[in-house]
Amino acid sequence: MTTEEKLQHFLDTCMEDARTRSNRMLDEYMNALEETFKQHQADAKRRSAMQIEQETEKIEREINKKLAVEQIDIRRALGQKQEELKDKLFVELRDQLANFLETPEYLKLLEHQIANAVEFAADDPITIYLDPVDEDKQKRLSLHYGHAQIKISEFSFGGGTRAVIPTRHILIDNSFQTRLEEARENFHFDLSLEEGDSADE
């Protein structure tokens, strides 16, 4: 298993563990909301049964309107809770990545990324940018990859590398910041609540 694959496995394991815990918390939160929603339905039906027959249709329309509004509010609250949990998940993931930066495996990952970029560039000039936090690794990496110009980026990108091949207008972005942004954008909680489930119960 390559270092890249180990990192991917590491990320997948962290994401799966965090997703499992987040989904459990979401399930508990959804159950509480569903119970409140059911109680509201029961109360609304009891109130409607006490009204005179002529007002029944009007009352049911009002109840349905209120239930729809409450359902929208519940879904909005659930969406906000998901965002809060996603924020916590990715803060935890960033902390774990920060710890990974201190390991020998991280240096191997940088070497692997640089080697791949240099191989891809072939004879074209290439500049490899390291994150400012990796300034202590610049000299060692420069000795191994003399063909590549290895610089420290002016801006932090969370670790990993970015490579530029000017003659081909190519950017090879293997930064942790980009990986995290892509992971966050593509991350979704797996919820079993379908449209209309609550109203049918």
Side-chain angles (χ1 to χ4, degrees):
M1 182 180 285
T2 66
T3 305
E4 193 77 18
E5 290 171 336
K6 288 181 181 176
L7 175 59
Q8 189 60 48
H9 178 70
F10 172 75
L11 287 172
D12 290 345
T13 301
C14 291
M15 293 285 287
E16 186 58 36
D17 177 62
R19 185 181 289 112
T20 299
R21 286 185 281 132
S22 297
N23 282 340
R24 185 167 56 247
M25 292 171 67
L26 269 177
D27 286 341
E28 292 172 358
Y29 186 72
M30 285 176 59
N31 288 338
L33 289 176
E34 283 295 314
E35 187 59 33
T36 300
F37 185 69
K38 289 176 183 178
Q39 289 175 2
H40 179 81
Q41 276 189 312
D43 291 340
K45 288 178 180 178
R46 279 194 297 270
R47 286 195 302 269
S48 68
M50 295 169 61
Q51 301 299 319
I52 60 175
E53 186 175 344
Q54 299 169 346
E55 295 292 322
T56 299
E57 186 176 342
K58 178 182 175 183
I59 291 172
E60 286 180 349
R61 280 199 303 266
E62 289 300 316
I63 289 172
N64 287 337
K65 186 188 295 184
K66 289 179 182 178
L67 290 177
V69 170
E70 288 200 22
Q71 194 169 32
I72 290 171
D73 291 342
I74 288 172
R75 290 186 184 277
R76 185 180 296 118
L78 183 59
Q80 291 172 348
K81 191 67 174 178
Q82 286 178 357
E83 284 304 309
E84 290 174 16
L85 291 174
K86 187 189 284 190
D87 288 342
K88 290 179 182 178
L89 168 67
F90 279 88
V91 165
E92 183 177 329
L93 188 56
R94 282 189 178 89
D95 289 343
Q96 292 183 6
L97 283 175
N99 292 333
F100 176 70
L101 297 181
E102 305 300 323
T103 65
E105 285 76 14
Y106 175 61
L107 181 59
K108 291 178 183 176
L109 173 66
L110 292 179
E111 292 172 348
H112 179 69
Q113 289 181 353
I114 293 171
N116 285 345
V118 168
E119 181 181 351
F120 180 80
D123 295 327
D124 291 323
I126 184 171
T127 302
I128 310 286
Y129 290 96
L130 299 176
D131 190 274
V133 75
D134 296 322
E135 188 171 6
D136 60 323
K137 303 174 181 67
Q138 181 183 13
K139 287 185 180 179
R140 173 176 174 171
L141 293 169
S142 296
L143 290 175
H144 286 84
Y145 303 98
H147 172 63
Q149 185 177 16
I150 299 180
K151 293 183 175 182
I152 301 300
S153 171
E154 295 180 20
F155 308 100
S156 175
F157 45 77
T161 60
R162 286 180 174 158
V164 177
I165 306 174
T167 55
R168 289 194 257 168
H169 305 290
I170 290 176
L171 168 66
I172 303 171
D173 190 348
N174 286 316
S175 66
F176 287 0
Q177 176 181 314
T178 299
R179 294 282 180 87
L180 279 172
E181 287 172 356
E182 290 172 351
R184 183 180 175 86
E185 184 177 344
N186 296 323
F187 181 84
H188 299 286
F189 288 101
D190 183 17
L191 300 177
S192 59
L193 183 63
E194 297 292 336
E195 190 71 27
D197 279 356
S198 299
D200 294 337
E201 292 182 1

